[in-house]
Structures are given as structure tokens and as C-alpha cells.
Amino acid sequence: MSGSAGTATASAGRQVAGLSALFGALYLIQGFAEPTEGLVAQPVRSLLKEWGYGPAHIGAFAALLALPWWFKPIYGLLSDFFPIAGYRRRSYLIGASALAMCSFLGVYLFPVPAGAGWLLLAALLVPTVAVACLDVVIDALMIDRGQPIGLTGRLQSVQWTAMWGATIVAGSLGGYLAEQQWQYSGFLICGLLSVAALAIVLCFVRERPIARAQIGARPRAAASLVEAARSPGVLLAGTFLFLWNFNPFSTAVLYLHMTEQLGLSEQFYGHSVSLMALGALVASGLYGFYCRRVAFGLLLHGSVACGVLATVAYLALWDSRSAAILSLAVGFFHMTGTMVQLDLAARHCPLKSAATVFALLMALSNVSTSLATWLGGLFYERWLETLGPNMAFNWLVVAGSAISGCCWLLAPALARDERRQTILLPTPQPELVQQAA
């Protein structure tokens, strides 16, 4: 018996390792390819700056480019309730990977004329849609595999560790491409990485086809979706996520302040992004160890504290040395808070509509971030004229910290809801792991 148990445990360990490798690889590629914050983000901002666009226009461009992330619930609905060739996840992963590949390579092969900001935006919206859809379906697959065996926290830790590992490289590489004015090379790299994503999906994502009886159960599944969306826990989680992410102090403002007001180079800003990603990578990895050992109410309060610290710390930004130290610390604090939010969302998702509910919660976060980015750029440009660069920057920092701190008003209610629902995430058992994989 002991030998049989040992064999089962070893097999379960291999299955968990396989799931971790799959989700880690897909998120690694997403960390490079995501147009709003990935490899091409800084080269695109540098292009706009070269073309004479100011802070308000660059902030508006970033907000508009993030629009496809607002519609994540639509991608989730399609994946949950409209399988293609009998598959809810695999078919959408293949289609989105192929679309990202074609669109990135298309932008590289047919460059946008100088000054045509709206044309550049239109060209980048297509890969943003593809990557946003990939993100939704990958997360749904993660919940499908991980929630029944209590692995959502651990798998998210692996995913985000991989993503921030990619960002460490993408930050410095993006800064180098911007410095050398080789911006379009970033699109080529992202296109080739999308080819790799397509190959991974084709080779390693396995899924059982949906039976006709399950397809006929769409009305019941849709009813469970409506019930989930109306539940107090989901509403509280959505409100918390929207408020936590409504921070007018955005990376677009930080980029403009560091490169224009402090006079730091494009390459240095790229290195600061890599340092921030290094701090985030450490936070993501650590979360997988303590997420099941710390009471969730305490994690929620810690998430709010980390959000405040990650913003207010920039009051100490003066030069390149302080920028390097702050980037590392801010990356750690911000990602620690973010991991709690992601786990909060995953715990509230019913399996029948996992893609839609999780996407809905994440879309609220993205809408909040986009609105705050647009408003932040607008206020920063206006305050530059009336208050000067340092005061304009500091006022945005204070405003962002205050808004994040308001989440403390919701944390006790969320903790009570968590206890009331008694969402039990069991310790993974070997036979369950084998079934999920």
C-alpha cells in the first residue's frame, strides 16, 4: 500500500508540475506580447513623444489601447457557452494565438507613417484584442484545472512569476529599442513569440469535447451566471477591485516625469521597469507559499496597505538612485496586493461560468485602470502649467494613495463574506490532481 501511495503521490507531483509549466509558459509569452504594458509599450510611447504628442494625448492613447480589456466578459461568455468544434478553451486559445501572430507581424511588415497616431492605435488594437482573449481563456483553464483541487493560488503564483520574469527582460529590451529608435523590432519579437504560443497550445493543451447534452444546458448555466453576478460576494469583490485599481498615478505619468522632468534616459526607464518586475516576481513567487497559510481577511487588509505603499513611495522619487530603489520596492508591494485580488476573484467563480465571472471581475479592474490613466494624464498636463512638474507629480501620488486607502472600508465586509460562504479549497489529493490534469 505504501508503495502504491508513493507512486500516486509522485504521479500527482508530475501532474502539478505539468500544469505549472503550461500556465507559466503561456503567461511568460503574454508578459512580452501584451501591447499596453509589455515589450512594445515603451517603444510606442517613445514614438508618440517623437511625433509631438503631449502627456494628455499619450495618456488617452494608453487608455484607448486598453479598451479591448474592458470587454473580457464577452470573451468569457463565448468561451463558456459557445464552444467551437466542441471545445470551450482549446479552440479559442488557437484562434487568439493565430490572430496575435498575424497582427504583430503585420504591423512590423507594414509600418505606420510618422505622425499617424490614430492609425497606430487601430493597428495595435487587434493584437490587444487577441492577447486579452488569450488571457481570459488561460485564466478560465486555470480555474477549470485548479479550483477543484485547491491550486488556484499556487497556479496564479506560477503564472505571475513567469509574467514578471518576462517583464524583467522586456523592460530593459523595450528601453533599448526606444533608445536606438528600433521601435518596430518589438513587433517582430512579439509576433515570433505568438508563434511559440500557438505551438504550445497545439501540442500541450488537451480538453475533452463538450457533449451535446452539456451544450443544451446553456440556459441553466446562464442562470447560474446571473445568480453568481448578483451574489453579495461577487459584488463586493468587483467593487473592491474597481476601487483598488482606480489610481490616476499611472505608468504613463511616471514615464513622462522620469524621461522629461528628471531627464533620465529611455534606457534607464526601461531598466526601472525591469527592476519593478523583479520585485513583482519575488512577490508572485512568495504568494504561492503563504496564500493557504494566512487568513484571507488578513490578506485583504495587507492588499490595501500594499496598494497605498506602492503609490505613496513615489513621493521620494528624486533621481536615478531613488528611482532604482523605488522601482524594486514598488514592484514587490504592488504585486503582493494584486495577487490577493486575483485569488479573491478566482475564489468567487462558479466552475460552469468560470471564464465569464473571472473576466467580469478583471474587466472591472481594467476599466478602472483605463479611466484613471486617462484622468491622470489629463490632470498631470493641466497641473504642469499651474503647479509645476514636482507638485503636479506629487499631487497625483497623494490622490492615488488616498483612493487606494478607501478599500479598507470594504475589506471587513469581504472577510465576513468569505467566512460566511466557507469556500473550502481542499489540500490536493493525488487522484483529484490526475483527473484535473
Side-chain angles (χ1 to χ4, degrees):
M1 291 292 293
S2 60
S4 176
T7 302
T9 301
S11 176
R14 287 193 297 270
Q15 298 288 358
V16 171
L19 289 174
S20 299
L22 171 63
F23 293 118
L26 291 174
Y27 255 61
L28 181 75
I29 293 172
Q30 184 180 324
F32 280 102
E34 204 286 300
T36 62
E37 294 294 340
L39 175 63
V40 301
Q42 186 179 346
V44 167
R45 292 185 193 123
S46 70
L47 269 179
L48 295 172
K49 192 168 67 171
E50 287 177 15
W51 294 347
Y53 288 84
H57 285 93
I58 293 177
F61 185 98
L64 290 172
L65 184 58
L67 278 177
W69 292 90
W70 293 28
F71 302 104
K72 289 175 71 173
I74 295 177
Y75 317 140
L77 282 168
L78 292 172
S79 180
D80 278 335
F81 303 127
F82 298 93
I84 299 176
Y87 296 102
R88 292 200 306 163
R89 314 301 185 206
R90 192 170 188 269
S91 296
Y92 285 98
L93 289 173
I94 292 172
S97 298
L99 180 61
M101 174 188 70
C102 295
S103 53
F104 276 124
L105 294 178
V107 176
Y108 171 73
L109 294 172
F110 304 99
V112 175
W118 286 107
L119 185 57
L120 179 63
L121 175 64
L124 290 178
L125 281 172
V126 179
T128 306
V129 169
V131 175
C133 183
L134 275 171
D135 178 75
V136 169
V137 183
I138 292 169
D139 285 337
L141 188 64
M142 177 272 298
I143 295 171
D144 290 344
R145 300 291 196 269
Q147 194 189 82
I149 54 177
L151 284 179
T152 56
R154 187 179 301 178
L155 290 177
Q156 285 180 320
S157 173
V158 170
Q159 287 177 328
W160 284 92
T161 299
M163 176 171 281
W164 287 113
T167 307
I168 291 174
V169 179
S172 292
L173 181 56
Y176 178 77
L177 295 177
E179 187 84 16
Q180 301 298 320
Q181 297 185 336
W182 295 345
Q183 291 95 336
Y184 280 90
S185 297
F187 301 119
L188 174 61
I189 295 171
C190 290
L192 295 177
L193 287 171
S194 298
V195 174
L198 179 59
I200 290 171
V201 171
L202 289 171
C203 294
F204 299 108
V205 174
R206 296 288 180 264
E207 182 182 7
R208 293 176 181 173
I210 299 294
R212 289 186 178 273
Q214 292 175 285
I215 295 175
R218 282 175 187 165
R220 293 194 299 274
S224 70
L225 170 62
V226 173
E227 181 181 353
R230 290 177 176 175
S231 70
V234 172
L235 292 174
L236 278 170
T239 305
F240 183 90
L241 292 170
F242 185 92
L243 192 58
W244 199 91
N245 287 280
F246 194 81
N247 190 335
F249 179 75
S250 64
T251 54
V253 169
L254 180 62
Y255 165 74
L256 291 168
H257 186 75
M258 287 178 63
T259 57
E260 292 187 350
Q261 306 305 329
L262 298 184
L264 303 177
S265 69
E266 294 278 355
Q267 182 66 80
F268 180 85
Y269 178 80
H271 289 323
S272 74
V273 173
S274 294
L275 286 171
M276 189 180 298
L278 178 60
L281 182 149
V282 173
S284 301
L286 287 176
Y287 188 77
F289 290 99
Y290 66 76
C291 63
R292 302 289 293 146
R293 296 177 172 87
V294 179
F296 199 70
L298 185 59
L299 289 177
L300 283 172
H301 286 285
S303 171
V304 181
C306 286
V308 173
L309 286 172
T311 305
V312 76
Y314 279 111
L315 290 174
L317 177 62
W318 298 103
D319 53 17
S320 59
R321 182 179 180 182
S322 63
I325 296 172
L326 288 172
S327 296
L328 190 63
V330 166
F332 179 85
F333 287 124
H334 185 270
M335 196 58 206
T336 298
T338 300
M339 288 303 304
V340 178
Q341 295 177 55
L342 294 169
D343 203 5
L344 169 69
R347 292 179 184 220
H348 284 81
C349 292
L351 288 177
K352 289 183 179 179
S353 53
T356 309
V357 175
F358 192 82
L360 178 62
L361 293 172
M362 293 298 100
L364 283 172
S365 301
N366 294 320
V367 169
S368 178
T369 300
S370 297
L371 290 174
T373 297
W374 171 66
L375 289 174
L378 188 63
F379 280 113
Y380 182 64
E381 186 169 274
R382 290 183 178 179
W383 289 347
L384 278 175
E385 301 174 358
T386 58
L387 302 175
N390 290 330
M391 286 299 295
F393 183 81
N394 289 339
W395 270 112
L396 278 177
V397 170
V398 171
S401 303
I403 294 172
S404 296
C406 291
C407 290
W408 262 308
L409 299 174
L410 296 172
L414 272 169
R416 287 194 300 269
D417 180 77
E418 184 74 15
R419 290 193 296 269
R420 182 170 61 250
Q421 292 189 42
T422 318
I423 299 177
L424 300 177
L425 299 177
T427 301
Q429 300 296 320
E431 63 273 13
L432 292 178
V433 174
Q434 291 176 21
Q435 292 172 14

